[in-house]
Amino acid sequence: MSSLDHDFNELIERVKHGREFGHASFEPIFYLVFHPEQILDVKRRHAAWESRLANEGWGVHTFSIAKEVAEILANAPMRKIWVAADQKAPQAWEKTNKSLANAVATGALQQRLEARLTELEGKPKSILLVTDLEALHPYMRIGVIEGQLQGKFHVPTVFLYPGVRTGKTRLKFLGFYPEDGNYRSVHVGG
């Protein structure tokens, strides 16, 4: 069995047993941490993991960060201005990324995740898988959103996190961002 499948099995056991008193929060927030080189392997396993959860009686729901970021950027009021600016200076990556980051980080992504969590509240045996976190680069990190949504996680929420674990609560997003210890979640793998 691969380490990804082993880590997923451990994660699901932790989800079934809930949070321990020793954690900073009692909200059902879990991270499956895997090395960034395994992003494609995780994507290949995703459907099988969903099927397994469904076979075990879970109501599986997915929130794709990549899909949500793409929709936010496609529908942004500044989109026409961005396209015109990009045509004038196509190599101005720093400026482009800063503009796009502003659109994503102003709360639109957080609001979408919060809406999904609210939609699932009260539905027994629901689980939310948050995928494609790599799409947050270079805009922001998921820990910011997790912190803003404190008190809103009423269903088990699993973040499929490409990064490196550097301690019990410290993670390095994509393996190269500075480590961050502001997560209130259970981490498995990494």
Side-chain angles (χ1 to χ4, degrees):
M1 178 185 306
S2 79
S3 65
L4 279 175
D5 290 327
H6 174 77
D7 291 345
F8 184 77
N9 290 340
E10 179 183 339
L11 177 101
I12 295 310
E13 287 304 312
R14 289 187 182 215
V15 169
K16 289 177 185 175
H17 291 98
R19 297 292 299 266
E20 300 170 359
F21 286 109
H23 291 284
S25 163
F26 294 108
E27 292 182 285
I29 307 167
F30 303 86
Y31 279 58
L32 178 61
V33 182
F34 54 91
H35 196 278
E37 292 175 353
Q38 296 176 300
I39 289 173
L40 290 177
D41 292 332
V42 169
K43 290 183 185 315
R44 287 182 191 113
R45 286 175 167 77
H46 185 254
W49 289 345
E50 276 193 26
S51 294
R52 175 178 166 208
L53 289 167
N55 288 338
E56 292 181 10
W58 291 95
V60 183
H61 305 271
T62 300
F63 184 89
S64 167
I65 296 289
K67 178 181 172 248
E68 299 297 332
V69 166
E71 285 182 13
I72 290 166
L73 297 178
N75 297 314
M78 299 285 293
R79 181 164 174 74
K80 288 182 182 179
I81 294 169
W82 294 337
V83 171
D86 188 51
Q87 289 172 344
K88 289 180 183 176
Q91 298 294 318
W93 297 112
E94 189 173 312
K95 188 175 180 181
T96 300
N97 281 337
K98 187 174 182 180
S99 293
L100 297 176
N102 286 337
V104 173
T106 58
L109 186 60
Q110 173 189 324
Q111 291 167 359
R112 287 170 179 241
L113 181 55
E114 183 176 355
R116 179 64 62 86
L117 291 167
T118 300
E119 172 188 313
L120 297 176
E121 189 175 349
K123 292 184 179 179
K125 288 287 278 188
S126 287
I127 188 169
L128 180 61
L129 302 179
V130 182
T131 65
D132 308 316
L133 270 68
E134 62 275 7
L136 289 173
H137 171 71
Y139 313 125
M140 64 189 311
R141 292 187 272 180
I142 196 64
V144 173
I145 294 173
E146 178 191 328
Q148 296 290 328
L149 292 177
Q150 185 173 2
K152 309 281 185 179
F153 292 92
H154 301 289
V155 299
T157 304
V158 175
F159 292 91
L160 302 180
Y161 186 92
V164 177
R165 191 168 160 176
T166 60
K168 188 169 183 172
T169 61
R170 300 181 78 73
L171 299 172
K172 289 178 75 169
F173 181 52
L174 295 173
F176 60 82
Y177 275 86
E179 68 180 24
D180 184 0
N182 293 322
Y183 296 93
R184 301 169 296 109
S185 44
V186 173
H187 303 156
V188 175

